[in-house]
Amino acid sequence: MRALLPEPADDVDVHAFYATDWVDTGGLRVNFVASADGAAQADGRSKGLQTSGDNRIFAALRDLADVVMAGLGTVTIEGYRAIRVSPRRAAIRREHGLRDVLPTAVVTRSLRLDAGSSLFTDVVPDARTIVLTCEAAPVDRRRALAEVADVVLCGDREVDAALARAALEERGLTRILSEGGPNAFAHLAAGGAVDELCLSVTPLLVGPGPTRIIVGDAEWDAPAALELAGLLEEDGALFARYRMRGTIASSGPRESMGG
Ligand SMILES: NC(=O)c1ccc[n+]([C@@H]2O[C@H](COP(=O)([O-])OP(=O)(O)OC[C@H]3O[C@@H](n4cnc5c(N)ncnc54)[C@H](OP(=O)(O)O)[C@@H]3O)[C@@H](O)[C@H]2O)c1
């Protein structure tokens, strides 16, 4: 893999590339893969878009995260299980000052989750799955999931992005990796909770049909500007690291973003 930006270089250290301005500062980064025509799925899942470079970056971003966050759709369709950190990956995490465990946080209002699934039963100590939900969630499901997970109320009718982020940060989970999906990303970005977008662009035209990396009914008043902080390339696939430069509502500068 080679870097095109910020400095051209061959054989890039992917971890070093994504650890810069991240490990020490923390933040919320969103990771997506899309086709050149903007599809977020091929055959209903992201798998058809993945490349070997994207898979390596996906793993590296997990290595550099305190928590993996995802919406219920992604957790269900992609079959999320509790994340077991292998000894090899734990060693990489330690090199960057991260703990050996990587909990998952699911964003959901309906709580349509099976309390007996691996997402809850296969967790290691200190990595209970976190369920980020809201007051409108069914009370009986809240009670059932509270037996096996940390259920956190973050808002009334839907999960408020800022409250969800704060709930994770209060638990010391300050390097937050969101793996989507498009609905969850829309809410996070509209809520001003996103610092960074890591976007893999696969050299493929999927054609009409699939959704983009942002969909749904989140309020979106104006385009939000992105700053390209870095760009990698491998076999024609591009891997961009964008920083958010403005909020969705105002497009004004974000105080939290350094240069
Ligand atoms: N290309 C990629 O990199 C990539 C990445 C991830 C996913 N995907 C693809 O995207 C598709 C899934 O899309 P999706 O948009 O359904 O996934 P999603 O955003 O993961 O899940 C959407 C669901 O999560 C819950 N949710 C999200 N934000 C919420 C909020 N603020 N408050 C309350 N609930 C919230 C809602 O579920 P409830 O209301 O039912 O609780 C909502 O219907 C799959 O095909 C997957 O393969 C692609």
Side-chain angles (χ1 to χ4, degrees):
M1 190 168 298
R2 67 187 174 121
L4 306 176
L5 285 169
E7 299 293 334
D10 291 323
D11 295 329
V12 170
D13 178 337
V14 169
H15 284 87
F17 179 84
Y18 285 100
T20 305
D21 295 332
W22 169 256
V23 168
D24 295 338
T25 57
L28 192 153
R29 71 173 19 152
V30 179
N31 183 30
F32 270 102
V33 59
S35 65
D37 56 341
Q41 307 109 337
D43 295 331
R45 292 177 57 187
S46 58
K47 197 168 174 45
L49 300 173
Q50 293 167 18
T51 60
S52 64
D54 174 64
N55 288 338
R56 286 211 304 289
I57 288 169
F58 182 90
L61 294 180
R62 283 193 167 189
D63 291 337
L64 297 170
D66 294 319
V67 60
V68 166
M69 185 184 196
L72 181 69
T74 298
V75 165
T76 306
I77 292 165
E78 303 283 347
Y80 271 50
R81 306 168 65 85
I83 299 169
R84 288 292 179 125
V85 176
S86 69
R88 188 171 75 84
R89 307 239 64 117
I92 297 171
R93 295 175 64 83
R94 266 181 242 137
E95 269 175 39
H96 293 278
L98 281 95
R99 299 193 314 148
D100 290 2
V101 294
L102 182 55
T104 304
V106 187
V107 183
T108 172
R109 173 175 45 208
S110 68
L111 297 181
R112 275 192 223 101
L113 286 158
D114 176 3
S117 77
S118 143
L119 189 58
F120 303 107
T121 57
D122 285 351
V123 295
V124 293
D126 283 344
R128 237 163 103 97
T129 296
I130 301 161
V131 177
L132 301 167
T133 189
C134 54
E135 299 280 356
V139 175
D140 53 339
R141 289 193 192 151
R142 259 155 67 177
R143 279 204 205 99
L145 285 170
E147 300 283 326
V148 293
D150 289 356
V151 178
V152 191
L153 296 181
C154 308
D156 299 330
R157 300 297 310 158
E158 62 186 24
V159 175
D160 178 279
L163 293 179
R165 178 175 172 160
L168 297 176
E169 289 172 342
E170 277 164 20
R171 287 166 168 70
L173 307 172
T174 56
R175 291 161 286 211
I176 304 166
L177 171 63
S178 170
E179 294 182 347
N183 267 287
F185 182 25
H187 282 278
L188 286 172
V194 178
D195 295 309
E196 189 173 312
L197 169 63
C198 299
L199 179 65
S200 301
V201 179
T202 300
L204 196 68
L205 295 178
V206 170
T211 57
R212 300 187 295 122
I213 65 171
I214 285 190
V215 297
D217 56 5
E219 282 183 35
W220 201 281
D221 296 336
L226 300 173
E227 176 195 3
L228 184 62
L231 184 64
L232 306 180
E233 186 272 343
E234 184 179 81
D235 297 334
L238 297 174
F239 308 97
R241 202 178 155 189
Y242 288 109
R243 295 206 179 98
M244 296 287 292
R245 294 305 297 171
T247 64
I248 304 310
S250 70
S251 283
R254 281 170 65 90
E255 284 178 18
S256 64
M257 292 311 305

